[in-house]
Amino acid sequence: IDPTPVPKARIIRAIAVNEAGVCSEIATATYFVNQKALEAGYTVSLVADPDAMFGPQGIYSTGEAYDRWYLNGKVGEEPKTNFETRGLECAGNFELFRGERQAYLNQPVGIRIQGGSHRTDSLKRMSVFAREKYSGSEYFDQKIFGDRDTHSVALRVGFENAFTYMI
């Protein structure tokens, strides 16, 4: 085990509740406590409900149908896993840091597993989408790549340029 400390972030998710019990939207923020400024380049904080990612219906899980098939001796046709199902999406929050402690972009988003043949890899690529139903806009609130409006980005695994826009 490598004893070298790893920079860590703290995620705070909060709501306000009034006297009538009405809840506000969820506010999400990432904080880097007792750390130097972030390195140059991009840092992404992607937050979602753990069940939406890894629960029985989660986009990163095998899913209930696959689990039943597997536990019953793999009888019949093998169902698709959740992570192999195109279009399966969960709500989340996307923060983008550009070498600073304060987020350049902080926005509710939709998250999907991305790619065809890489969906079965243990480390999966993700697509992050600005959606009207999450944030009121189908574009990110800030310009990410030059002066163009961006609807979605891909978070790839194992590449130096792991953050890229999708056309």
Side-chain angles (χ1 to χ4, degrees), residues 67-144:
D67 292 348
R68 273 193 307 276
W69 171 81
Y70 184 85
L71 292 172
N72 289 321
K74 300 181 181 180
V75 175
E77 187 175 332
E78 179 178 351
K80 274 190 176 179
T81 61
N82 287 1
F83 54 77
E84 292 175 296
T85 304
R86 293 183 183 275
L88 193 59
E89 181 172 301
C90 73
N93 196 79
F94 178 73
E95 280 183 278
L96 179 63
F97 297 84
R98 290 174 134 179
E100 302 169 2
R101 284 179 177 262
Q102 181 134 3
Y104 172 75
L105 171 66
N106 184 340
Q107 184 170 337
V109 295
I111 304 167
R112 292 182 179 189
I113 301 298
Q114 191 250 343
S117 62
H118 293 281
R119 288 177 175 271
T120 58
D121 293 350
S122 59
L123 295 175
K124 298 175 186 349
R125 300 173 180 188
M126 300 216 167
S127 298
V128 179
F129 295 89
R131 298 251 192 249
E132 194 166 320
K133 71 179 185 177
Y134 301 123
S135 67
S137 175
E138 57 186 59
Y139 295 100
F140 288 109
D141 294 339
Q142 300 292 331
K143 307 287 187 201
I144 299 174

Side-chain angles (χ1 to χ4, degrees), residues 143-163:
K143 307 287 187 201
I144 299 174
F145 300 100
D147 63 349
R148 71 187 320 162
D149 287 333
T150 306
H151 166 68
S152 57
V153 294
L155 304 176
R156 302 185 312 178
V157 177
F159 293 92
E160 189 172 310
N161 61 340
F163 176 69

Side-chain angles (χ1 to χ4, degrees), residues 55-70:
Q57 309 300 320
I59 65 171
Y60 220 93
S61 72
T62 52
E64 292 177 325
Y66 182 90
D67 292 348
R68 273 193 307 276
W69 171 81
Y70 184 85

